[in-house]
Structures are given as C-alpha cells and as structure tokens.
Amino acid sequence: MSRKPADTAKWTVLNAVVVAYALVPVLWIVSLSFKTSAGLSDGRFIPAEWTLANYAAIFQTGEFLRALANSIGIALIATTIAVVLGAMAAYAIARLDFPGKRALVGVSLLIAMFPQVSLVSPLFEVERTLGLFDTWPGLVLPYTTFSLPLAIYTLSAFFREIPWQLEEAATMDGATPGQAFRKVIAPLAAPGVFTTAILVFIFCWNDFLFAISLTSTEASRTVPVALQFFTGDSQFEDPTGTIAAAAVVITVPIVLFVLLFQRRIVSGLTSGAVKE
Amino acid sequence: MSAVDEAKRAERRLGWALCAPAALVMLAVTGWPILHAVWLSFQRYDLKYPDQREFVGLENYLTVLSNQYWWTAFGTTLLIVATQLVIEFVLGMALALIMHRAVIGRGLVRTASLIPYGIVTVVAAFSWRYAWTPDTGYLANLFAADGAPLTERGSALAIIVLAEVWKTTPFMALLLMTGLALVSEDLLEAAQIDGASRWQRFTKVMLPVMKPAILVAVLFRTLDAFRVFDNIVVLTDGAQDTSSVSVLAYNNLIKGLNLGIGSTMSVLIFLAVALIAFLFVKLFGAAAPGADEDGGRR
C-alpha cells in the first residue's frame, strides 16, 4: 500500500496533537523543577535559567528520602502479595472447575468498583485499635485488597491464553509435573505475571486517599502525600520548585515502565477490563 | 467411589484452596469494615469527645442528609461525573479511532497516551495547580489578565474536570479500542456501498457493535469518577464549594475526627455507588461486566 503525502501529513498532525496532549503537563512540571527560585514566578513554560538546586534540596532532606523509601517498600510488598495471591486465584479460575468460582469473580468485580472512601473511617478506627495505623502493613493491606481484582482479572485473561496441553505433552515425554510446570508453563506465564505486577505497582504508587488517611507521620507517609506537606527551607520560601522536583522523581519510574512495556501494558489493561 | 469422582473432588479442593487467600483478604479488608462503618454510623462518636460516645440510631443520617454541605458536595460530585464523562467519551472515542486507524506512528501514539494513565494523579494535579496559579503559571492569564481561576468556583470546577479528563481519557480510549476491534471491516464497507455517510456508518454500524465495550467503559468510569479525591485536595482543597463527597467525608473524619458522621457519609457514598451499579446492570442487563455467559468459565 502506497501512502499519499496528504495521509502522511494528516497522521503526523494527529500524532503531534495526541503526544502534545499527553506530555504538556508532564513537561511543565519538569520545567518547574529546573527553574531557579527567581525564575519560578516568570510564568514561562521553558526555564530562562536552568538549575539542579531543587533536586539537590530534596535529596538533602530526610523527609523526601524517607517518603521515597516508604513508597517503594510499601508498593513492592503490596505488589508481591497481590500478584502471588492473584496468580493462585487466577490459575484456579482459568484452569479448574469448582463451585463458587463465579461468586469469586463477582466479588472481585464489586471490589474493583468499591468507593474506597467508604473504607477510610472504619479502617482508620480498626487500624488504630490494632496498632496498624501509620505503619507499612496499614497501607499494604488496603493496597493489596484493591489491586487483587486487577491482578485476578488480568492474570486469568493471560492464563486462559496459555496452551496447557504443552504441560501434558511434557509429562508424556517423561518430565515430572514439577519439571513440566517449571520448564514449560512458568516461562509462558511469566510475561503475564510481569505485566500484572507493573499494573499493580502503578496502582499502589498512585494512591493518595489511603496514604493520606491512614498515615500521620514520616514513618509511613508515601511521596504523593509528602508532597502535600512539603514546605520550603524557611517560612518565606516557596516550595514550588522542590515539590516539582520530587514530583518528577516519582514520575520517572512510571514513564520508564510505560516506554519499555507499552505493548504489554495495553494488552494487560484491556484484557483485564473487558473480557473478549 | 469411582476415580473420576475422586479427581473431581480433588479439583474442587484445589480450586478452593487456591482462591481462599485472595477471597479472605478481600472480604477482611472490605466486607468487614463496611459492616463496621454501618455500626459506627449509628453512634455519636467524636474522637475529640470520646466519653460522649453513645448509640443514637439514625440521628447521624438526619444530620448529614439535612446538611447543605453534604448536598452541595453531592451536587458537585454529580456535576463533575457528568461533565467529565461526556467530554471523556467524545475525546476517548476520537483517541480510540486515531489509535485504531493509525498507519503511521501507532506505537508512539499508544505510548504517549499511556503516560497520563501512569502518572501519579497528585503529580498531575500539582502540574495543573501551578499552571493556573497567578505569576507562576503559563495558563493563569489565559482567560483574564490577573485572573486566579482556582479561587472561583466555576473555573476551579472546570480545572478539576480538565485534570480528571486529562488523566483518564487514555484509559477510556483503550477500552473503546477493544470495542472498535469488534467492528468488522466488511460491515463498514457494505454500509459504504449502500451509500451510508461517514457519520451514519459511525452511529448506525460502529456504535451498536461497540455497545458492550462502551457500557463497560462508561460504568467503570462513572464509578471511578464518583470517587474523585486527589485532584480536588491538591487543586482547591475543597474551597469555594468544590468538595466532592469523598473530600467531605475525609475532612469530617481526619480533620474533624468525627467517626460517627464520617462513617455515616461512608455508608451513604457506598449506597450511592451501589445504586449506580445496580441501575447500570438493571438497565443494560447482559452487557454489564461479569454478567456475560463466559464470565470466569474455562
């Protein structure tokens, strides 16, 4: 198929519009993070003068590093638990026949739609009583719960695609069931598990509501919440530049995930949300 | 007992064993707390005056439901949901068509459109906040010189909707794109030969075929939009009557430490969401997610 120049031009314009739409707010916060404190109020989209001072400032304070460690730790733990529990359930849903399967699928769908704010007051009370308030487990629990539906849907969609006859074929050829699983099925399932882990991680990384309601100190405050509490070095200093720098730091991993695993993320999102 | 039965029972046991941990976590962290919220909502329970805790029946519900702040927040939430959905559907459809039809730069467009989905909502909200802040922002003087759009209700709400739309349109577009994949080219060509215009092909051929995907997308987005929280807290912190129900419930609980009223709002929000979901399933029946025959079967 030969492309007409008009077509090329049309697509170039459309692509440019979409890319600009997606990137302008991101570039703006990046630009703010490189502005000098004098340049912050010039209202220009591109800094007149570039500086790394804002980045130096956030990495010098314990506050940001602590929040970053909390974000990474809590999101990784919640992702691991959700993917392991989700994979077990998804395997059962994709492969086994047992009563109650539909009920489980229904319940996880309900949880995906659950208004999370409805849990904030009971969890606040329960976690205070149990001593989980303002701790890592206090956030890991709700994150795991709300990412389980996503994990179960996405993984069972992936698992359904795996040609499980290969496993039988391997055992016929003399492999033990363990070997068959490790050598044949696990490599086939790995991309799906990995994709799910990225989606769940993004979900946990993003949370604000639970993080702001169920934490009260630096002990477990995550970066999205810490940004709200940032102040400048002195009362008279505007924290805009440091907030922007911190915002960029937590955006970088997500942008990298998206750039590296774009295709998988799309298939994971769509297969999880709409069953085909 | 035959070996077949034994195998079947073993399969059931394995199925239950594998699903149990996930099911238990989900029930323990959502099912039980929501019941606890109902119980708390029947009590006067303010952490500032813990000794005054007592059972008051429906009094909290009367307090909340006769309070103008609640209804303002409820109205604001519905306004945000409705405006957001309309804009997002139109933009999402356009984006889905572009991604579906793109011959050049398909990967680029898909990658770019995933970025808003992945960005931390709070980060995006800060970006918008600074963009509309006088002096700092490149957009502040867009409509009026010396304007401070975030300090007026109308423009602040518009910015909240804009921030939400920016963030979630790509997700809408992805869901709609799976629907577009169901539309057969033959059908479109046949319609074209029969003289259907571009618009007729879109409304008479594509939309009906895409209906299930559209309903799933709209239901998910409605419920999600109803929970709007992050953007409002960062952009206005609920000033000038821009609180959503989530922001109001959060403020009563965490800032006011009033567990009784906070829980009452939690229960009311839960009921509102349940009602929305119920209406969708009732009105659109089989098209609702999970209601399809294949739901979870092998």
Side-chain angles (χ1 to χ4, degrees):
Chain A
M1 195 169 68
S2 67
R3 284 178 193 142
K4 283 173 281 178
D7 260 8
T8 315
K10 186 185 86 180
W11 283 112
T12 312
V13 171
L14 281 177
N15 289 346
V17 169
V18 175
V19 172
Y21 170 87
L23 289 185
V24 163
V26 184
L27 293 178
W28 163 241
I29 201 108
V30 171
S31 151
L32 277 180
S33 76
F34 286 114
K35 282 186 173 183
T36 57
S37 50
L40 273 176
S41 54
D42 63 8
R44 288 167 52 118
F45 192 85
I46 297 166
E49 207 184 328
W50 296 70
T51 173
L52 286 171
N54 296 316
Y55 290 90
I58 54 168
F59 282 106
Q60 270 158 18
T61 64
E63 190 190 354
F64 175 70
L65 286 176
R66 187 67 226 251
L68 192 61
N70 289 336
S71 271
I72 296 173
I74 293 171
L76 281 182
I77 297 174
T79 303
T80 312
I81 302 178
V83 170
V84 170
L85 298 188
M88 287 161 56
Y91 174 87
I93 287 168
R95 285 268 282 156
L96 305 173
D97 199 20
F98 59 97
K101 192 156 91 172
R102 290 185 67 98
L104 182 80
V105 174
V107 166
S108 44
L109 192 77
L110 284 181
I111 289 176
M113 299 174 179
F114 202 94
Q116 302 173 346
V117 72
S118 291
L119 286 190
V120 163
S121 46
L123 279 183
F124 178 74
E125 151 105 343
V126 170
E127 294 201 348
R128 272 174 358 110
T129 318
L130 295 177
L132 290 175
F133 180 73
D134 202 23
T135 64
W136 280 24
L139 286 183
V140 168
L141 266 177
Y143 290 1
T144 305
T145 307
F146 280 98
S147 43
L148 266 172
L150 180 69
I152 293 176
Y153 274 85
T154 317
L155 283 167
S156 56
F158 277 118
F159 286 175
R160 248 180 244 134
E161 314 263 296
I162 294 180
W164 296 94
Q165 294 85 346
L166 288 178
E167 195 184 13
E168 283 161 38
T171 34
M172 294 283 229
D173 290 343
T176 66
Q179 280 173 328
F181 187 81
R182 266 204 328 273
K183 301 247 163 97
V184 181
I185 296 303
L188 287 173
V193 172
F194 185 70
T195 305
T196 309
I198 292 180
L199 292 176
V200 170
F201 186 86
I202 291 179
F203 172 85
C204 300
W205 195 244
N206 222 323
D207 169 77
F208 182 65
L209 177 61
F210 288 123
I212 200 171
S213 314
L214 301 177
T215 64
S216 60
T217 66
E218 287 180 19
S220 59
R221 199 175 268 162
T222 56
V223 185
V225 175
L227 290 183
Q228 272 289 81
F229 292 93
F230 260 20
T231 48
D233 286 340
S234 73
Q235 201 187 334
F236 304 104
E237 196 173 328
D238 189 357
T240 305
T242 42
I243 289 182
V248 170
V249 173
I250 56 168
T251 304
V252 168
I254 300 299
V255 172
L256 284 181
F257 284 156
V258 167
L259 292 179
L260 291 174
F261 307 112
Q262 173 262 127
R263 213 171 288 262
R264 287 193 186 164
I265 294 177
V266 171
S267 67
L269 277 177
T270 47
S271 63
V274 190
K275 281 173 275 119
E276 286 168 90
Chain B
M1 189 179 297
S2 72
V4 179
D5 281 344
E6 190 45 47
K8 217 167 176 59
R9 278 165 33 124
E11 189 179 344
R12 279 184 181 192
R13 272 201 303 272
L14 181 62
W16 282 329
L18 287 173
C19 290
L24 285 178
V25 170
M26 290 194 288
L27 284 181
V29 183
T30 55
W32 188 66
I34 196 72
L35 292 179
H36 193 66
V38 175
W39 163 242
L40 288 174
S41 72
F42 293 131
Q43 297 174 34
R44 176 177 303 133
Y45 189 9
D46 189 328
L47 288 177
K48 293 190 294 291
Y49 314 101
D51 5 318
Q52 288 176 21
R53 182 175 180 172
E54 63 171 325
F55 187 85
V56 291
L58 291 173
E59 199 184 291
N60 287 333
Y61 287 89
L62 282 175
T63 312
V64 172
L65 291 175
S66 61
N67 185 299
Q68 57 142 344
Y69 287 109
W70 167 260
W71 290 110
T72 309
F74 199 79
T76 304
T77 313
L78 291 184
L79 183 69
I80 294 175
V81 171
T83 346
Q84 188 188 340
L85 264 181
V86 172
I87 302 176
E88 209 174 287
F89 183 75
V90 175
L91 280 183
M93 188 61 98
L95 188 56
L97 284 167
I98 293 177
M99 291 198 285
H100 186 66
R101 298 251 168 238
V103 267
I104 302 158
R106 192 184 185 129
L108 177 74
V109 170
R110 285 196 186 186
T111 309
S113 64
L114 273 181
I115 287 183
Y117 165 80
I119 296 284
V120 176
T121 317
V122 173
V123 169
F126 269 113
S127 167
W128 293 116
R129 182 169 115 187
Y130 292 136
W132 294 98
T133 301
D135 296 338
T136 312
Y138 63 104
L139 293 175
N141 297 328
L142 192 62
F143 297 111
D146 304 320
L150 283 168
T151 59
E152 272 161 58
R153 185 169 193 252
S155 47
L157 283 177
I159 293 171
I160 291 168
V161 170
L162 167 84
E164 288 277 300
V165 164
W166 178 77
K167 169 99 187 143
T168 50
T169 298
F171 187 64
M172 175 74 111
L174 281 177
L175 294 184
L176 292 176
M177 211 173 64
T178 60
L180 277 176
L182 302 174
V183 181
S184 84
E185 290 296 322
D186 298 351
L187 213 57
L188 287 175
E189 254 171 56
Q192 191 171 13
I193 291 167
D194 290 345
S197 68
R198 214 171 249 266
W199 179 249
Q200 280 172 329
R201 272 177 280 152
F202 178 66
T203 52
K204 299 271 163 64
V205 182
M206 289 166 83
L207 285 184
V209 177
M210 290 174 69
K211 198 175 150 207
I214 292 175
L215 288 174
V216 172
V218 171
L219 174 62
F220 264 78
R221 294 294 318 125
T222 305
L223 296 177
D224 210 27
F226 198 82
R227 310 189 272 210
V228 54
F229 180 79
D230 315 25
N231 270 323
I232 296 180
V233 171
V234 173
L235 285 168
T236 64
D237 203 13
Q240 294 92 38
D241 287 337
T242 52
S243 285
S244 67
V245 282
S246 294
V247 176
L248 193 66
Y250 165 81
N251 282 342
N252 271 282
L253 178 77
I254 304 293
K255 293 191 180 157
L257 291 174
N258 195 327
L259 271 171
I261 294 289
S263 301
T264 307
M265 290 179 174
S266 300
V267 174
L268 287 171
I269 295 169
F270 178 75
L271 291 176
V273 165
L275 182 70
I276 297 174
F278 174 80
L279 287 178
F280 261 91
V281 175
K282 199 80 192 156
L283 289 176
F284 305 115
D292 57 336
E293 263 313 288
D294 194 37
R297 245 182 255 162
R298 228 195 275 212

